[in-house]
Amino acid sequence: MAILGQFVKDVLSQPAVLVGLIALVGLTVQRKPVGDIITGTAKAVLGFVILGAGANTLVSSLDKLSPLLEAGFGVRGVVPNNEAIVAIAQSTLGSETALIMVFGLIANLIIARLTPLKYVFLTGHHTFFMAALLSAVLGTVGLKGAALVLVGSFVLGVLMVVMPAMADAYMSRVTGGQAIALGHFGTLGYWLAGFIGSRVGRAEDSIEQYRLPSSLSFFRDSLVATAVVMLAVFVIAVLAAGNKAVELAGDQSVWAFALMQALTFTAGVAIILQGVRLIISEIVPAFQGISARIVPEARPALDCPVTFPYAPTAVLVGFIASFVGGILAMLGLAAIGLPVIVPGLVPHFFVGGTAGVFGNATGGRWGCVVGAFANGILITVGAALLLPTLGDLGFANTTFGDSDFQWVGILIGGAGKVFGHSPGTLAGAVIVFFGLLLGLSAVVKRRRGAVSSTGMAG
């Protein structure tokens, strides 16, 4: 028992070691060469170490921004960034996150095998992020231990097939019928953009007929764009904060302080991204070979940038429209006394850009602009409503920036308020809801497939 206890303490309580062990097992099962097994395991462990270093860098910048916003505007400002909130969560929820991710991947394969939802979710970092969100909100509403991991794994597995199925309502219009699916947890915003586009414009009036000026080309590099926008945010905060900015800057001028904090924030994002890439590059391949055997008819559900080549101009216009929507929503939140969500470049670029592609596919230029604008409002208001469900993480000055993290967190938080007196009842309610969601999605998918087959036969 002493040896077992030490093993649990040294392995299962250490996310870096646990993920490394998972990579080791996955690569060994696939009979990879010894050199590849050692390399993959080491990279997975290093990824978690790098993730923590990036989190510390980014948090140091956010800790400077919050008092500036409070002093200048009398409000608390939160910058949505998935990488940041996940990295912070790992200090207390790392083991739960890792276990939910692993068992969620297995649940994805089982559900895809047994239902018409033949999707294998290959966007590993979003799997990781959703696992972190689930570990946080399920823990906040009262679940812990094995119950937390089992419920979280089931919910994650369901989401990994249901959300690609939801995106498929418009994905074929985006890709021209290619057999790929979208695996990204901003799907509610993409679906909304596609729906709005179909109501406000015509697909024939594509925004790809128009071209943006070359002066906006820097938006294509998300790190450069992040640095520019965060510099603007810090400059505005410094101007508004007055003496508080001078106090925080210390020996520096306030303008050098603003510049360095913006660059520090961006450097933290870059470090975290590198850590996540290392983790995912070794975990996901361990499941790809297995999925090919378990789900022979599977469709790969890929990251949102897979849509970018189909409408590159829509990506940039969608980003700008989503960002404008975020700014207006931020002002509205401040006016009614809710936490102020400062528009983050990362979610608005990737999610807003993809929303622009979906809106353009169904409604041309007007669909692109209005659909992405609606997405910007959605992810800003959603971020504000999500904060209370995150427990202690709600005070971290950052939060999840994409719509599916938000609605899932808000929903589970609401279930906690209703059933929180009984953890068993709460777990059952969450399982029943997501089970019903899975069943409904399977029925819709089967009917959609039947209609498509009838059309082809006709």
Side-chain angles (χ1 to χ4, degrees):
M1 290 302 296
I3 294 174
L4 179 61
Q6 192 66 36
F7 174 80
V8 171
K9 178 182 177 182
D10 292 341
V11 177
L12 298 185
S13 63
Q14 299 295 325
V17 178
L18 180 59
V19 169
L21 182 61
I22 293 164
L24 173 65
V25 172
L27 294 169
T28 303
V29 167
Q30 295 188 64
R31 299 179 180 178
K32 295 288 187 180
V34 174
D36 290 350
I37 293 174
I38 294 173
T39 300
T41 303
K43 284 184 176 180
V45 174
L46 285 172
F48 252 98
V49 175
I50 292 171
L51 188 68
N56 292 335
T57 302
L58 190 145
V59 169
S60 70
S61 175
L62 291 176
D63 285 345
K64 301 293 193 308
L65 179 60
S66 181
L68 290 175
L69 293 173
E70 290 177 5
F73 299 100
V75 294
R76 177 168 163 246
V78 177
V79 180
N81 185 285
N82 296 332
E83 290 82 4
I85 188 67
V86 168
I88 295 169
Q90 296 318 293
S91 61
T92 55
L93 300 167
S95 298
E96 292 87 344
T97 296
L99 289 170
I100 288 173
M101 178 181 178
V102 172
F103 289 116
L105 287 165
I106 295 172
N108 176 196
L109 297 179
I110 294 172
I111 294 170
R113 174 76 181 193
L114 299 178
T115 73
L117 304 174
K118 305 294 184 182
Y119 303 100
V120 176
F121 198 100
L122 298 181
T123 308
H125 65 288
H126 260 224
T127 306
F128 180 54
F129 296 164
M130 185 60 81
L133 178 278
L134 290 169
S135 65
V137 294
L138 289 171
T140 299
V141 298
L143 296 186
K144 57 184 178 181
L148 185 152
V149 172
L150 290 175
V151 173
S153 301
F154 174 73
V155 173
L156 178 58
V158 169
L159 292 171
M160 291 168 75
V161 295
V162 167
M163 302 321 294
M166 184 177 181
D168 258 2
Y170 302 112
M171 187 65 175
S172 61
R173 302 191 197 184
V174 171
T175 65
Q178 292 188 12
I180 59 173
L182 183 64
H184 194 264
F185 289 129
T187 302
L188 179 60
Y190 308 147
W191 182 90
L192 178 64
F195 175 79
I196 290 175
S198 67
R199 297 296 188 271
V200 302
R202 298 178 300 109
E204 302 78 35
D205 186 25
S206 173
I207 202 166
E208 297 306 309
Q209 302 174 37
Y210 309 89
R211 290 291 178 265
L212 289 175
S214 58
S215 59
L216 296 178
S217 62
F218 73 90
F219 281 125
R220 296 181 184 274
D221 189 312
S222 61
L223 284 179
V224 174
T226 297
V228 170
V229 173
M230 288 308 297
L231 176 59
V233 169
F234 269 101
V235 166
I236 293 171
V238 162
L239 288 171
N243 291 334
K244 184 65 175 179
V246 175
E247 175 188 336
L248 289 172
D251 296 335
Q252 289 179 303
S253 73
V254 292
W255 310 118
F257 169 76
L259 174 62
M260 291 310 301
Q261 293 307 315
L263 295 177
T264 299
F265 180 93
T266 307
V269 171
I271 295 169
I272 290 169
L273 288 172
Q274 178 61 26
V276 170
R277 289 189 191 104
L278 280 175
I279 297 169
I280 301 308
S281 66
E282 304 308 326
I283 293 296
V284 173
F287 286 87
Q288 288 177 329
I290 300 171
S291 68
R293 298 182 182 90
I294 296 177
V295 193
E297 301 174 7
R299 291 174 59 193
L302 305 175
D303 199 354
C304 66
V306 73
T307 66
F308 290 3
Y310 298 99
T313 303
V315 173
L316 297 181
V317 173
F319 160 63
I320 295 170
S322 180
F323 191 71
V324 170
I327 291 174
L328 294 180
M330 176 186 71
L331 298 175
L333 292 172
I336 61 178
L338 288 174
V340 173
I341 304 298
V342 180
L345 252 290
V346 174
H348 282 285
F349 177 78
F350 287 102
V351 181
T354 305
V357 173
F358 271 67
N360 182 67
T362 59
R365 57 177 178 170
W366 282 110
C368 175
V369 172
V370 180
F373 178 82
N375 171 82
I377 294 175
L378 174 70
I379 64 176
T380 303
V381 174
L385 298 178
L386 175 64
L387 282 174
T389 73
L390 293 177
D392 292 339
L393 290 180
F395 301 96
N397 293 330
T398 186
T399 187
F400 291 90
D402 302 352
S403 57
D404 296 341
F405 300 115
Q406 296 165 357
W407 75 259
V408 170
I410 293 167
L411 178 69
I412 294 176
K417 292 180 179 179
V418 177
F419 303 106
H421 60 282
S422 172
T425 303
L426 171 63
V430 173
I431 290 173
V432 167
F433 175 83
F434 283 94
L436 291 173
L437 181 63
L438 174 62
L440 178 61
S441 299
V443 169
V444 171
K445 178 66 176 176
R446 185 178 284 114
R447 289 182 177 177
R448 189 182 299 158
V451 171
S452 299
S453 299
T454 303
M456 290 174 64

